[in-house]
Amino acid sequence: MSGLINPWLALALGLLILLLYEGRVVWIGRRAPHRVARDVHAQMRADWVRALAEKPGFEIVAVQTLRNSLMSATITASTAALCLMGAVTLGGSRLAAGLAGVHAPHDLLPLELLQLLLMGTLFASFVCSTLSMRYYNHVGFAMSLPAGSPQRQAVVGLAVDYIERAGYLYGWSLRSFLSVAPLVVGIVNPVLLPPACVCLVWVLWQFDKPGAITD
């Protein structure tokens, strides 16, 4: 029984570290959006859509820019799907055997929970990337309409909303994919999960800091 205490505490501590960090980022973003990169980038993308709506001749440039973002989301979705299939192939049978003996929540072992979290995180990364691709695709249709035309003006608001959603979803897909690293470390040794989560928080903070902060 004592052998199970440390892994469970390590698992709880690691998840708490990530939840506290994400909560702090959300709290900062709501009070000072200019201090969080994803909010700064969302505003930049919205301004980009509005600016190009009044600039004829930039439709091809806009579509090419969106194509680059669409390709990035495609690569992330494909990689997450391949990793998910690998995780199911390598650990699916062992996980199924372990879950077969679970008749109550206390029967679940840390290793089994970490495997479920790993698969769920990879699936979340895939879903977020796929939804991001969907929104980028629709924004591409809107941005290819002639600038200044009534049709273009009618969809500017929708394009702004979609490109903001696409950016946030792509960001969450990357965050989910990065979260795979501490989960893999935890599967190898659950006690190492908290320090791995601390390392992940440091990496995520580098992503969350905008390039220039103006107070």
Side-chain angles (χ1 to χ4, degrees):
M1 183 69 178
S2 60
L4 293 177
I5 296 177
N6 286 336
W8 278 116
L9 288 177
L11 176 58
L13 181 58
L15 295 178
L16 181 62
I17 290 172
L18 294 180
L19 288 175
L20 288 176
Y21 172 75
E22 291 296 343
R24 180 176 181 272
V25 172
V26 171
W27 184 80
I28 293 175
R30 288 182 176 177
R31 282 167 169 73
H34 64 278
R35 295 180 57 193
V36 180
R38 59 189 173 195
D39 294 318
V40 173
H41 297 164
Q43 184 61 49
M44 179 177 62
R45 287 188 294 268
D47 292 341
W48 176 77
V49 171
R50 295 189 185 99
L52 289 186
E54 304 293 338
K55 298 290 184 180
F58 284 86
E59 291 83 4
I60 295 179
V61 174
V63 172
Q64 289 291 348
T65 302
L66 289 168
R67 182 178 298 175
N68 293 337
S69 299
L70 183 61
M71 289 179 64
S72 298
T74 303
I75 292 172
T76 304
S78 301
T79 306
L82 289 173
C83 290
L84 178 59
M85 289 188 290
V88 172
T89 301
L90 295 175
S93 57
R94 181 178 178 181
L95 177 61
L99 293 177
V102 174
H103 303 290
H106 63 269
D107 293 333
L108 193 66
L109 296 176
L111 178 61
E112 296 164 353
L113 182 57
L114 283 169
Q115 289 178 321
L116 288 173
L117 287 174
L118 174 63
M119 295 177 186
T121 302
L122 287 170
F123 181 70
S125 179
F126 170 76
V127 171
C128 288
S129 295
T130 304
L131 289 174
S132 176
M133 292 161 52
R134 175 175 178 262
Y135 285 120
Y136 276 132
N137 183 53
H138 289 306
V139 175
F141 283 106
M143 298 298 288
S144 63
L145 291 171
S149 65
Q151 294 83 359
R152 177 70 170 270
Q153 296 302 318
V155 296
V156 169
L158 183 65
V160 169
D161 179 56
Y162 276 13
I163 201 167
E164 287 182 342
R165 292 189 190 188
Y168 279 120
L169 285 166
Y170 179 66
W172 279 110
S173 71
L174 289 180
R175 297 175 88 83
S176 300
F177 198 74
L178 290 173
S179 300
V180 168
L183 292 175
V184 172
V185 172
I187 290 174
V188 175
N189 188 346
V191 178
L192 297 177
L193 184 61
C197 288
V198 171
C199 294
L200 175 63
V201 165
W202 183 86
V203 172
L204 291 177
W205 179 236
Q206 308 311 307
F207 280 88
D208 290 330
K209 290 191 300 184
I213 300 177
T214 55
D215 294 321

